[in-house]
Amino acid sequence: MYDYIIIGAGSAGCVLANRLTEDPDCKVLLLEAGPKDWHPFIHMPAGLAKLVGKKGVNWDYTTAPEKQLNNRTLWWPRGKVLGGSSSINAMCYIRGVPRDYDDWAAQGAPGWDWRSVLPYFRRSEHNERGADALHGDQGPLYVSDLRYTNPLSQAFIDAGRQAGYPSNHDFNGAEQQGFGFYQVTQKNGARCSAAVAYLHPARERHNLTVITGANASRITFERNRASGVTYTARGKAFHQVATREVLLCGGAINSPQLLMLSGIGPAAQLRQHGIDVLVDAPQVGENLQDHLDICTLQHSTQPITYDRVSDARIAFDYYLRGHSGAGSSNIAEAGAFVRSRHASDERADIQFHFVPAMLDDHGRHRLAGDGYTAHACFLRPLSRGRIRLASGSAGDKARIEANYLSDPDGFDLKMMVECAKLSRELFAQKAFDGYRGAPIFPARDDLSDAELVEFIRAKAETVYHPVGTCRMGSDAGSVVDPQLRVRGVEGLRVVDASVMPTLIGGNTNAPTIMIAERASDLISGRV
C-alpha cells in the first residue's frame, strides 16, 4: 500500500513525486500512461520539431468539429511521457502577471493571489541570471538564456521597436510588455523538463515507485473516500490502495475524464454512459479555455532559416559541440507581449512567438524554401468549451469541444483579427527589409477585415494552453476547493492546469509547476 498515488507524471505529477518523497516515511506511487523520457529528441531542444508527429510520446488528441473554424477538427498535442507536455513543448518560461493571480483570488481562490504564489515560483526556479525579488536560483527547474539564436529572431525584436514597442529582456520581470528573447527551461543547453528537474533526482529514493505504461481506468472509493486506483499495465489490470490521498494530475483533458469515469461529474452524462453516479458535479469538464493562435508566414530571401537545416546535421553538431549550435534552440526564440487598442485593462492582451521557419499546421505540413512565422494569440479569451465523455471506457479518448470564437459579442474574433493585423505590421518593418520575400499565409498583404476573418476561420490553431476543466473556487459549483480537494468526496485532489479558474497571460507550464509546488505544501500541511 502507498500513502499517495499520483496519476500522471506530467509537470505537476513530477513535482509532487519529488516534494512528497522528501519525507522518507511517505510512500508514493506515480503512474504514467506514456513511456520513459529516453528519446534523444526530447532532450535536444530543437528536437521538438521531430516530436510533433511522434505518437509514442503524444496523446494525439483532436477536437470535435469547431463550428466557428469552418467545422475543422483541430489537433491538440499533449505529452504522454515522463514529464508530460514539458517534455515536448517549446520550453518558453512565462508566469503571467500579478493581476492574473489576484483575479484567481477574487474569483474565489484565496491563497492563490500573486503575493501567495510568488514564493512557489521562486522556490521552483534556478535562473542562471541569479536571484532577486522575483526570481530564484536554488530551485530544481533551470531557466536559462538561449545559447543560440537565429538572426531573424533579432530582426523580429528590432521590428517591434521600429513599430513603437519597447524591448524587454525579462518577460517575468517587473514589466511583461515588450519584445525580446524568451528564457527557456534548459540546463546546459538541454531541455530541463519537469521529469529532468524533479523526477529524475527522486528516482533513487526507496519510497518512490514509478510505473510507466500505466493507464488509469478508475479511482476507487470506500464510502465517500478515495481508496485507490485501478489501472492497466503490460496487458494486465491492477488495483493499488492509497491510505492518505489520490492525487489526479492528468491535465485539462484527462483529469475531468477520469473523474467522470469514476462517478464524479454531470449525472445525466454519466448515466448516459452507464456509469454509477457518486457525486453529481455538473461543472466537471466545463470552463475549458485555450489560447487560439493565428500564424502569419512570409518567405525569406536569405537561406538562413531552420527550414533547410537537416535534422541529422543539427543533432550531429549539437552533440559534438557540447549542447550548442542550432540544436540548442527552442525554435520559438523571440516573442512579445503587446497591449492592443482593444485592451480592457493595463495588461498585455496579445502574445507573439516568432519562429525562423515556416510553421504550417504545427510543423506537420512542410513547405518548400525558406520562411519565417509569427504566432499571435489573444491572451484572455471569453469563449468557453468543455470536455465530455465519448463513452464509458477509459480506452476511448474524451470529446474535446473547445468552442473557439463562440463568445456571443464576437470579441474573441475581433482580437484574432487584431493579432493578424499586428503580425503583418511587424513583418512590414524595416528590420525585415533584407529578408522579406512573398507572403505565404495570408497570401496577400492587403486583406480586408472580412478576408482576415475567413483566413482565421481557415487557419487558426491551438497554441497548446488548455486549462480550467476542474475549476477551483469557493462556490459550491466549483470542482475543487482552494486546497484543490474534489468537492463531495474525501482523499482526492486535482493538481494540474485544469484547476485554473481562468487562463493566465502567457504559457501555462511554469504556472502548472507552481500549482504543484504549492499543492505539495497543502498536502503536507505546511500551509
Side-chain angles (χ1 to χ4, degrees):
M1 293 189 296
Y2 296 89
D3 295 296
Y4 298 99
I5 299 177
I6 303 169
I7 304 171
S11 295
C14 288
V15 174
L16 291 181
N18 181 297
R19 294 305 189 189
L20 293 177
T21 56
E22 288 176 340
D23 177 358
D25 296 325
C26 180
K27 194 174 180 182
V28 174
L29 172 64
L30 176 62
L31 301 174
E32 168 55 40
K36 296 178 181 178
D37 56 334
W38 62 269
H39 201 286
F41 281 138
I42 290 176
H43 302 287
M44 182 181 75
L48 68 92
K50 292 295 290 182
L51 294 173
V52 167
K54 191 169 182 58
K55 294 183 179 181
V57 297
N58 193 332
W59 284 98
D60 197 35
Y61 288 123
T62 55
T63 69
E66 288 293 318
K67 183 178 179 181
Q68 300 299 323
L69 297 175
N70 294 347
N71 286 314
R72 290 184 292 130
T73 57
L74 274 60
W75 188 54
W76 275 27
R78 309 303 302 159
K80 186 181 181 182
V81 60
L82 292 181
S85 293
S86 75
S87 288
I88 67 170
N89 68 3
M91 294 156 278
C92 299
Y93 183 79
I94 294 293
R95 299 173 174 177
V97 295
R99 183 166 172 179
D100 293 336
Y101 301 95
D102 292 342
D103 280 356
W104 286 7
Q107 293 170 51
W112 296 92
D113 58 283
W114 176 246
R115 180 176 293 184
S116 297
V117 304
L118 176 59
Y120 293 101
F121 278 118
R122 296 186 73 248
R123 184 169 86 176
S124 70
E125 184 183 16
H126 190 130
N127 198 303
E128 70 169 14
R129 297 179 184 175
D132 58 26
L134 294 174
H135 294 288
D137 65 356
Q138 298 299 311
L141 183 68
Y142 276 67
V143 177
S144 307
D145 295 322
L146 286 160
R147 289 186 168 193
Y148 179 93
T149 58
N150 187 285
L152 282 161
S153 297
Q154 183 62 57
F156 178 77
I157 296 170
D158 294 341
R161 186 181 68 253
Q162 292 166 359
Y165 301 103
S167 297
N168 191 341
H169 78 288
D170 183 7
F171 294 132
N172 302 296
E175 176 58 63
Q176 185 191 55
Q177 294 181 44
F179 282 65
F181 288 106
Y182 284 109
Q183 278 202 298
V184 290
T185 48
Q186 292 184 14
K187 179 181 180 181
N188 298 327
R191 179 190 293 274
C192 186
S193 66
V196 170
Y198 286 92
L199 184 58
H200 292 181
R203 288 296 295 268
E204 299 305 316
R205 294 174 184 166
H206 74 278
N207 55 338
L208 174 62
T209 300
V210 180
I211 302 177
T212 55
N215 290 277
S217 55
R218 187 168 177 266
I219 300 164
T220 58
F221 294 85
E222 289 185 4
R223 297 184 177 87
N224 225 36
R225 183 175 185 85
S227 59
V229 179
T230 298
Y231 67 95
T232 58
R234 301 177 298 279
K236 297 181 180 180
F238 300 88
H239 179 258
Q240 288 288 353
V241 172
T243 59
R244 295 189 187 179
E245 293 189 44
V246 173
L247 307 170
L248 180 51
C249 304
I253 302 167
N254 291 359
S255 283
Q257 181 189 25
L258 191 58
L259 286 180
M260 288 187 278
L261 291 172
S262 304
I264 303 171
Q269 185 184 163
L270 302 190
R271 292 189 183 109
Q272 175 188 348
H273 295 292
I275 299 170
D276 292 336
V277 178
L278 179 66
V279 178
D280 181 10
Q283 286 297 305
V284 171
E286 297 293 320
N287 193 47
L288 175 62
Q289 300 158 58
D290 184 35
H291 287 141
L292 185 65
D293 183 69
I294 188 64
C295 285
T296 299
L297 279 67
Q298 189 97 22
H299 277 296
S300 172
T301 58
Q302 295 195 30
I304 59 172
T305 71
Y306 294 141
D307 296 299
R308 65 175 49 243
V309 182
S310 73
D311 300 321
R313 176 183 167 187
I314 286 180
F316 181 79
D317 288 348
Y318 175 75
Y319 287 109
L320 184 67
R321 299 178 181 178
H323 293 182
S324 62
S328 65
S329 171
N330 73 325
I331 309 301
E333 299 166 347
F337 290 87
V338 171
R339 184 177 182 274
S340 79
R341 56 182 173 156
H342 303 304
S344 59
D345 55 44
E346 76 287 353
R347 294 174 290 183
D349 55 355
I350 292 175
Q351 180 182 6
F352 287 95
H353 295 82
F354 177 79
V355 176
M358 295 179 288
L359 203 66
D360 185 33
D361 187 22
H362 310 274
R364 297 188 297 175
H365 181 208
R366 300 298 294 268
L367 303 175
D370 291 275
Y372 45 90
T373 304
H375 288 255
C377 71
F378 173 38
L379 288 172
R380 294 180 179 83
L382 303 178
S383 302
R384 297 292 183 267
R386 64 189 57 85
I387 301 295
R388 301 178 65 86
L389 292 177
S391 76
S393 171
D396 292 333
K397 295 177 181 179
R399 179 180 171 86
I400 303 169
E401 299 176 0
N403 283 344
Y404 293 115
L405 307 181
S406 63
D407 62 304
D409 294 330
F411 189 72
D412 287 359
L413 180 57
K414 181 179 181 180
M415 285 303 303
M416 292 304 295
V417 170
E418 189 73 6
C419 287
K421 285 183 173 180
L422 288 177
S423 298
R424 297 303 323 170
E425 178 184 331
L426 291 167
F427 281 178
Q429 298 302 314
K430 184 178 180 180
F432 282 106
D433 283 356
Y435 309 104
R436 189 185 306 107
I440 305 171
F441 298 126
R444 301 192 342 257
D445 293 330
D446 60 348
L447 297 187
S448 66
D449 283 8
E451 289 173 315
L452 283 174
V453 166
E454 291 310 307
F455 168 61
I456 289 161
R457 295 195 194 281
K459 296 297 290 185
E461 298 282 356
T462 178
V463 75
Y464 324 119
H465 300 158
V467 307
T469 51
C470 296
R471 175 181 65 88
M472 67 172 160
S474 298
D475 59 293
S478 59
V479 178
V480 300
D481 67 14
Q483 288 73 47
L484 309 184
R485 299 173 298 200
V486 176
R487 294 190 181 278
V489 297
E490 297 179 352
L492 176 61
R493 298 186 207 233
V494 179
V495 183
D496 55 38
S498 71
V499 305
M500 296 183 186
T502 49
L503 269 165
I504 60 98
N507 310 70
T508 52
N509 189 246
T512 300
I513 288 173
M514 174 278 292
I515 288 169
E517 283 275 16
R518 187 167 189 274
S520 70
D521 278 0
L522 291 170
I523 294 163
S524 301
R526 291 190 288 266
V527 292

